[in-house]
Amino acid sequence: MTRTLHITNGDGFTSHLKELKLEGEIITWREMLCEGRTVTEVGSESFWKTRFEFLNKNYKITKTNFIEATLKEYRRLCNQKTQEEIILWFDEDLFCQINMIAVVSWLKKHRNGAQISLVCGKKKKTKPFILTNHTREQLHKLYESRIQLTQDDIEYADYIWQLYCSETPLRLETFSKFNSSQFPYLTDAIALHLHRFPTVKNGLNHLENSTLAIADSKKIASKEKFVEMLIKNESNYGFGDLQYFRLINTIKPLFKSFNPVKLNPMGKDVLNKVQNYYPFIKRDDIYLGGTKKYSFLYHEDTARLLKL
């Protein structure tokens, strides 16, 4: 019998997977590499140091919690050395896809020769692929029809990870458009990532502008209800409440109140692109992967990134 290792996108799905009673060990990848600075060498000392500094500063994650939740599970992954097949369970959203390519990059170096498989469904325009939304029977079918990754696929995912961690997103912008691999969701996730750089017209990125638009167009009673709406409306990012509370906090000066949610005059001007918020929001310590967020602008009319 082929020995199997399952790597999941989070604790929520791990509990679902355990109910399927599939053969093999399960490892949960507890990171959110779509946020904060990343370095190329996944699992290295500098990698975990960089990640802890970001999580501690922005989400008040203590060293103890980081070790218990993330590092101990990573060490469990390091100890899984005998499996012949490694199966990846990751959703369609940006959060999961960035984690996935980091995991593939690690596997390429540390589990060379193992067969890597990807569980995914057919891409749909209406709603994103989310594993926890599937029944046991549906998950069994997806498992049976999993995609066997070729060496070229593994090399491709690893290269996209290298580009994601680089100081410039310009090569990522070019290379990701020529995806001939078997990762059905990755191209769209990278396109979404590139939309996270500030726009030329008002200095806010796509998600920040969308957040203002929802605040302005909907009657929302509280910040908590606002976050619930953002999670539902912007599901392609895969963000949870922590990420949205942090996002709202970065553009807090554009709001008049949060109970109910209302923009102030400056917020309306920024939303309508009458005023550019870039000088107020720009910081040198904010990273998207390996790139400083405010060193590049997204030009909406040409759909291209510009280096400042």
Side-chain angles (χ1 to χ4, degrees):
M1 183 182 287
T2 302
R3 292 185 297 276
T4 308
L5 172 66
H6 304 270
I7 302 178
T8 74
N9 61 6
D11 292 282
F13 181 69
T14 292
S15 60
H16 279 256
L17 188 58
K18 285 177 179 176
E19 292 175 5
L20 296 186
K21 301 204 178 338
L22 298 174
E23 184 271 330
E25 192 76 28
I26 302 173
I27 295 291
T28 306
W29 184 256
R30 296 193 183 112
E31 248 290 6
M32 52 175 187
L33 299 171
C34 61
E35 276 211 306
R37 192 173 190 177
T38 60
V39 296
T40 308
E41 196 69 32
V42 180
S44 65
E45 188 176 335
S46 63
F47 175 86
W48 290 124
K49 182 176 183 291
T50 300
R51 295 307 300 159
F52 173 70
E53 286 172 355
F54 167 75
L55 294 167
N56 176 254
K57 181 179 179 181
N58 293 280
Y59 291 105
K60 308 301 180 223
I61 302 296
T62 66
K63 185 167 283 189
T64 300
N65 286 343
F66 186 67
I67 291 169
E68 289 296 320
T70 304
L71 286 187
K72 282 192 176 179
E73 191 71 356
Y74 170 71
R75 287 168 189 154
R76 280 189 63 226
L77 172 61
C78 293
N79 291 331
Q80 307 299 319
K81 298 178 180 179
T82 61
Q83 291 89 349
E84 295 157 1
E85 184 179 14
I86 299 168
I87 301 170
L88 307 179
W89 302 78
F90 286 85
D91 292 339
E92 178 177 348
D93 56 64
L94 174 73
F95 188 111
C96 284
Q97 291 294 296
I98 299 300
N99 280 343
M100 181 195 70
I101 58 174
V103 169
V104 173
S105 178
W106 186 88
L107 291 171
K108 174 179 176 281
K109 180 173 182 179
H110 297 280
R111 295 295 178 269
N112 188 26
Q115 174 60 60
I116 304 172
S117 302
L118 181 65
V119 176
C120 58
K122 291 183 179 177
K123 190 158 180 59
K124 296 177 182 177
K125 290 184 179 179
T126 50
K127 55 184 179 180
F129 173 77
I130 301 173
L131 287 160
T132 51
N133 290 348
H134 290 74
T135 65
R136 291 187 197 180
E137 292 74 19
Q138 289 170 329
L139 288 172
H140 267 293
K141 285 184 179 178
L142 290 171
Y143 173 71
E144 293 299 332
S145 61
R146 62 193 180 277
I147 295 171
Q148 307 283 326
L149 299 183
T150 66
Q151 188 60 35
D152 284 346
D153 296 325
I154 294 166
E155 296 283 353
Y156 176 81
D158 176 55
Y159 186 56
I160 293 295
W161 171 250
Q162 312 295 320
L163 296 183
Y164 179 79
C165 295
S166 69
E167 293 181 357
T168 170
L170 298 180
R171 282 188 301 155
L172 186 59
E173 180 182 40
T174 303
F175 196 80
S176 65
K177 292 175 182 176
F178 302 100
N179 181 8
S180 58
S181 72
Q182 297 186 86
F183 298 99
Y185 314 130
L186 187 53
T187 302
D188 286 350
I190 294 301
L192 201 62
H193 164 64
L194 297 173
H195 277 88
R196 295 195 295 163
F197 290 92
T199 59
V200 170
K201 290 183 179 177
N202 72 353
L204 296 187
N205 67 20
H206 178 270
L207 185 55
E208 291 157 351
N209 275 306
S210 180
T211 299
L212 291 187
I214 290 171
D216 193 51
S217 62
K218 307 285 185 184
K219 291 183 178 179
I220 309 168
S222 67
K223 187 186 285 189
E224 288 70 26
K225 294 290 183 186
F226 189 24
V227 167
E228 286 176 17
M229 191 173 291
L230 289 169
I231 291 171
K232 183 179 178 182
N233 283 26
E234 303 292 345
S235 58
N236 285 338
Y237 287 89
F239 290 168
D241 54 357
L242 288 176
Q243 285 82 32
Y244 282 115
F245 278 120
R246 178 171 174 254
L247 184 154
I248 290 167
N249 195 51
T250 64
I251 53 175
K252 189 177 179 180
L254 301 177
F255 288 84
K256 180 181 180 181
S257 68
F258 288 106
N259 292 290
V261 176
K262 286 187 177 180
L263 298 181
N264 60 27
M266 186 180 186
K268 288 180 179 288
D269 283 348
V270 171
L271 174 62
N272 295 322
K273 300 183 172 59
V274 175
Q275 182 165 347
N276 197 305
Y277 198 60
Y278 183 88
F280 304 99
I281 200 172
K282 178 185 182 295
R283 284 172 53 185
D284 284 335
D285 62 339
I286 304 296
Y287 283 80
L288 297 173
T291 307
K292 288 187 175 182
K293 178 179 177 180
Y294 294 100
S295 293
F296 293 84
L297 292 176
Y298 188 83
H299 193 269
E300 301 101 309
D301 296 338
T302 60
R304 296 297 301 273
L305 284 169
L306 307 172
K307 188 178 188 317
L308 286 174

